[in-house]
Amino acid sequence: MSIRAKQIILACVCVFCLALSGVLWFFTKPCEQCGRKLCFGHTAAVEQSGGGQTGTAGKTSPYETQLSYTGETDADYLDSVYFIGDSRTVGLVRAGMPEERLFAETGMCHEDALTKRVVVLDDSAFLTIPDAVEIVAPPVAVVNFGINGIGFMDEEAFIDEYRAMMQAFMEASPDTVFIIEAILPVSVSYESTSSVSNEKINAMNQRLYDLAEELGCFYLDTDRVMKDEDGSLLSEYNDGDGLHYNEDGYAAILEYVKTHVVPQWEEIRQ
């Protein structure tokens, strides 16, 4: 067979293969998890959403890690939510959140959250947060720490301490639905006078999302409604120091919480 004939046959085979590939591509269904027709495996994605997510605490969830917008819900939902954190959690009282549902302390870093006694229940002695969580067993708990550690803690140490804290909370109250909330932004002026930057906050929030996925709890990206177009704290929510929020800012946080309801809510309240 001549070289010319071989070239013609090879060209025909290539054209046939391309045509066959096009037909197969047309009839191939997209992956249910990632939405792509070409998928080489995505174990993490399956665990996060459709396939059931098993965290290190032993919980299994068929839901996505990041809470989605669900619209307004009845007041019973917010009445069942407890908040755990630092001064920016304490500030939620300015938007009407009762103090008894705030397990928080001004200036507290998450590395101290397991041992520092900051919660008073029914006029009892001060309790640690894990002890309070065990006693109360909140239906839903939103955890917001990080702003007091991100400026000085090594990134890996930061995540290791956060993991240990969350595991302790989850072990203290296995039936509580825990939500890791994004670290909220600061103003440009605060960035310029501290070791905290919104760029660093954004990077750590990605790590916190990954941690929530690992542990089998939820992640809430409240930071997105607190930022301006440059990614800094919206001026209308700034209470003056660039770190804490005014009444409108805290109201925006609570509005975001109650419009991003955990999927188990219907089961929880029955």
Side-chain angles (χ1 to χ4, degrees):
M1 183 181 295
S2 66
I3 295 178
R4 177 63 176 170
K6 291 180 179 179
Q7 290 176 337
I8 293 174
I9 293 173
L10 181 60
C12 290
V13 171
C14 291
V15 170
F16 175 78
C17 290
L18 287 172
L20 181 60
S21 298
V23 172
L24 292 174
W25 179 267
F26 180 80
F27 287 103
T28 298
K29 293 182 178 180
C31 172
E32 294 181 357
Q33 300 300 328
C34 64
R36 297 189 298 268
K37 289 188 176 184
L38 187 61
C39 178
F40 294 102
H42 43 272
T43 303
V46 171
E47 290 178 347
Q48 174 184 334
S49 52
Q53 172 181 304
T54 302
T56 56
K59 286 191 173 183
T60 300
S61 171
Y63 307 108
E64 292 187 6
T65 298
Q66 183 163 307
L67 291 173
S68 301
Y69 177 75
T70 56
E72 290 288 343
T73 186
D74 55 68
D76 290 345
Y77 178 68
L78 204 55
D79 289 342
S80 298
V81 179
Y82 283 66
F83 294 84
I84 300 172
D86 47 43
S87 61
R88 299 203 285 185
T89 295
V90 172
L92 289 171
V93 295
R94 301 183 64 179
M97 183 56 56
E99 289 187 17
E100 59 265 25
R101 285 195 275 122
L102 302 177
F103 296 169
E105 174 76 358
T106 297
M108 187 162 60
C109 181
H110 64 283
E111 65 178 346
D112 301 320
L114 299 184
T115 57
K116 198 169 183 181
R117 296 180 178 274
V118 299
V119 182
V120 176
L121 297 177
D122 299 326
D123 297 324
S124 63
F126 281 94
L127 303 172
T128 65
I129 295 176
D131 287 343
V133 167
E134 182 176 11
I135 293 170
V136 174
V140 180
V142 177
V143 181
N144 188 290
F145 279 110
I147 196 65
N148 292 323
I150 196 170
F152 69 88
M153 293 183 71
D154 171 78
E155 183 173 326
E156 294 306 318
F158 183 104
I159 292 298
D160 287 344
E161 293 286 352
Y162 216 109
R163 179 185 294 106
M165 176 189 71
M166 290 302 304
Q167 288 174 328
F169 293 165
M170 296 168 78
E171 290 170 4
S173 183
D175 292 330
T176 296
V177 178
F178 284 96
I179 302 168
I180 296 179
E181 187 177 24
I183 304 172
L184 303 176
V186 297
S187 70
V188 173
S189 61
Y190 188 85
E191 284 185 293
S192 65
T193 59
S194 72
S195 57
V196 177
S197 69
N198 286 306
E199 181 180 3
K200 187 181 292 186
I201 288 174
N202 292 339
M204 191 61 75
N205 280 339
Q206 179 58 55
R207 295 292 304 271
L208 290 179
Y209 169 86
D210 294 340
L211 179 62
E213 185 177 44
E214 171 193 329
L215 296 177
C217 53
F218 290 106
Y219 177 83
L220 186 63
D221 59 342
T222 316
D223 59 321
R224 66 183 302 171
V225 296
M226 305 297 289
K227 296 177 180 178
D228 61 21
E229 58 184 10
D230 297 320
S232 299
L233 174 63
L234 283 164
S235 59
E236 57 261 41
Y237 293 155
N238 190 346
D239 197 39
D241 63 1
L243 175 65
H244 299 96
Y245 311 129
N246 55 26
E247 288 84 352
D248 290 341
Y250 288 114
I253 293 171
L254 292 182
E255 181 69 19
Y256 202 80
V257 171
K258 72 179 184 180
T259 56
H260 291 71
V261 179
V262 296
Q264 297 105 314
W265 170 237
E266 293 298 329
E267 301 171 13
I268 292 172
R269 68 175 180 175
Q270 289 178 354

